Amino acid sequence: MPPVQADHSSRRRNASIGRPLIAVADAGWHTTDHLFRAIDPERAETLLLECVSFANARSRGIPLRNWVDPTREISPGLHRRRLVLPPGWMSIYPALGMRPLSATIARRRRAAGGPLVLVFTYPQYLTLADRLKPEVCIYFNVDDYRLYWPKRSAEVEAMEIESVRRADLTFCVSLHRAEELRRSVPEAAERIRHLPHGVPRDWLAPEAIAGPAPAPDRIARLPRPLIGYIGSLEDRVDWALLDRIAEAFGEASLVLVGDHSPMQPGGETPRDRCLARPNVHAIGRCEQSEVPAFNRSFDVALIPYLVEHPFNIACCPTKIMDTFAAARPLVSTALPECLLHRERMTIADDDAGFVEAIGRILAAGSTDGLESARFDWAAGHTCDLVVSELLDAAEAILAGRSPRASR
């Protein structure tokens, strides 16, 4: 099958450079949803697809009556549809599984009347490009997908290489993944861009102040200082490090916000020891709307990820943008994406350095002097500004120009 770029060249020349339809397959991650919701409706119409398997729909408590969900306009120029699909729809039977997505996009495309920009977030979605033949095809990579299907990693890698080869542009939220893909697909290296996560504009703190805000009600009665982490409490977290932090700062409250499985009675793992400590408060998940208030209230925020964990090596932690928007001090292990921000946060090379950094920040009055640097970075990387770079590139391709390099 010819490359997507070759298929579309003549269509681009004839396409109106008016208001395109940006179809995102899919916008299931909070970060992807935040990013593409921020598209200026004067520049483009947007269709966000959220694809959920039967099993995930049940585990999320989505009522059966809501499994058949029509496309809805949630604000002017912004449409969304949830599709609940059977097992294997994406990875085993993509030719069949993509039909509902293709039909939804095609209907919106006819209504919009402009050129189609397809943004796809898994390599399996390249099947949509074959069906829809968009004027612009963008692969938006947020993770190392080989880790999602370890038994089929070679197959997934081959699909990803084909996606990068055939897409007009590839955007990676992680520099590590961008560099990996440039090595894997050297002929497409100039079309692979690093575009880190943005932050919703309304998540920005009112100003870059040196001091925590009042705590949300759920943690308002906990003793300060509040040492906080927001994220899933899973195996990518360095539990031995968190246990050491809780022990070192016994008078502080270590606040863990996120889903976690129950502690095992009498467990002796670092996770069990940490969660059993009286100053450790695992309060469960919070809604996305609550994230800014929690981050602003922390005396110190943490990214306590295992540096050797494959997911952590490949990721762009959302904690970076979230905490920068709150302007609060942030201490992290030496993950590749975090190392890009040494001038805006503290990177610890080992557990002792991590604990020492927290102590130094607390001793200084819950400040590290980098509040303005973090806030300024977040203000310059809000979702509307970040997604504008992607739109600039898509519009350049529609106009027959080479897209400008992103920052």
Side-chain angles (χ1 to χ4, degrees):
M1 188 171 295
V4 170
Q5 287 183 294
D7 282 347
H8 300 164
S9 58
S10 61
R11 300 189 65 177
R12 284 188 201 124
R13 285 194 295 271
N14 297 324
S16 165
I17 312 303
R19 188 167 173 260
L21 170 64
I22 312 295
V24 184
D26 63 56
W29 292 284
H30 292 305
T31 51
T32 310
D33 182 72
H34 289 317
L35 180 68
F36 290 99
R37 277 175 178 263
I39 288 176
D40 182 353
E42 294 296 319
R43 292 184 65 181
E45 184 170 335
T46 306
L47 172 63
L48 306 179
L49 298 181
E50 179 189 2
C51 302
V52 184
S53 68
F54 287 175
N56 284 337
R58 284 192 293 268
S59 67
R60 289 168 52 179
I62 299 174
L64 188 62
R65 65 180 179 275
N66 293 338
W67 283 23
V68 179
D69 187 33
T71 301
R72 306 174 188 275
E73 185 172 30
I74 56 179
S75 65
L78 176 61
H79 297 79
R80 187 180 186 88
R81 186 184 184 193
R82 177 195 294 140
L83 295 153
V84 180
L85 300 164
W89 67 272
M90 181 171 70
S91 58
I92 302 176
Y93 310 110
L96 290 173
M98 298 297 165
R99 287 182 180 179
L101 285 74
S102 176
T104 300
I105 295 171
R107 284 194 296 270
R108 191 69 246 151
R109 183 183 195 176
R110 289 193 294 271
L116 173 63
V117 177
L118 176 66
V119 179
F120 64 105
T121 58
Y122 283 97
Q124 290 90 338
Y125 286 136
L126 187 61
T127 305
L128 276 176
D130 296 334
R131 297 178 67 90
L132 294 167
K133 295 181 171 53
E135 280 74 19
V136 180
C137 189
I138 294 174
Y139 176 43
F140 191 77
N141 175 274
V142 302
D143 231 328
D144 185 344
Y145 301 119
R146 295 170 297 186
L147 303 174
Y148 288 33
W149 294 277
K151 294 182 179 179
R152 304 176 60 196
S153 60
E155 179 184 346
V156 173
E157 182 176 20
M159 285 190 289
E160 182 165 67
I161 288 173
E162 184 67 6
S163 294
V164 174
R165 182 177 291 126
R166 295 174 56 191
D168 295 291
L169 284 171
T170 293
F171 287 97
C172 299
V173 300
S174 156
L175 179 59
H176 178 85
R177 286 296 291 142
E179 291 175 339
E180 278 192 330
L181 292 176
R182 286 168 186 154
R183 290 192 294 269
S184 298
V185 196
E187 65 271 29
E190 293 185 356
R191 294 184 278 117
I192 300 172
R193 309 288 176 80
H194 176 217
L195 191 71
H197 291 306
V199 61
R201 184 169 288 277
D202 60 359
W203 284 25
L204 291 172
E207 56 184 332
I209 57 173
D217 289 345
R218 291 169 66 186
I219 59 173
R221 291 184 173 85
L222 297 181
R224 281 197 179 270
L226 301 178
I227 303 172
Y229 164 80
I230 302 177
S232 295
L233 302 175
E234 51 191 1
D235 65 349
R236 64 194 293 188
V237 171
D238 189 339
W239 285 102
L241 171 60
L242 284 180
D243 186 49
R244 183 167 176 174
I245 292 167
E247 182 179 28
F249 302 100
E251 300 302 314
S253 297
L254 179 57
V255 180
L256 308 178
V257 185
D259 291 328
H260 67 284
S261 56
M263 185 177 65
Q264 296 300 315
E268 291 299 325
T269 67
R271 175 183 177 276
D272 293 332
R273 288 195 299 272
C274 177
L275 292 176
R277 291 187 180 275
N279 65 326
V280 175
H281 306 273
I283 66 170
R285 66 176 301 173
C286 71
E287 298 299 326
Q288 282 289 293
S289 59
E290 298 177 281
V291 170
F294 275 102
N295 274 317
R296 292 174 194 174
S297 74
F298 293 152
D299 292 86
V300 184
L302 311 178
I303 302 180
Y305 281 166
L306 292 163
V307 294
E308 71 277 9
H309 196 291
F311 273 105
N312 297 338
I313 294 170
C315 78
C316 175
T318 59
K319 291 90 181 146
I320 298 174
M321 65 172 185
D322 295 349
T323 310
F324 283 11
R328 301 306 304 133
L330 178 60
V331 182
S332 174
T333 51
L335 306 182
E337 198 73 12
C338 292
L339 289 170
L340 304 178
H341 298 280
R342 280 191 178 276
E343 69 273 27
R344 288 176 282 271
M345 59 192 286
T346 301
I347 308 295
D349 294 324
D350 53 30
D351 288 5
F354 204 112
V355 171
E356 189 275 331
I358 294 173
R360 185 174 64 250
I361 291 167
L362 295 178
S366 301
T367 179
D368 59 0
L370 300 175
E371 286 80 10
S372 293
R374 281 187 291 273
F375 183 83
D376 291 347
W377 186 92
H381 291 78
T382 53
C383 286
D384 57 309
L385 297 177
V386 172
V387 80
S388 182
E389 293 188 15
L390 184 146
L391 282 176
D392 288 345
E395 288 172 351
I397 293 171
L398 287 170
R401 304 191 307 271
S402 297
R404 293 177 297 173
S406 61
R407 59 184 141 186

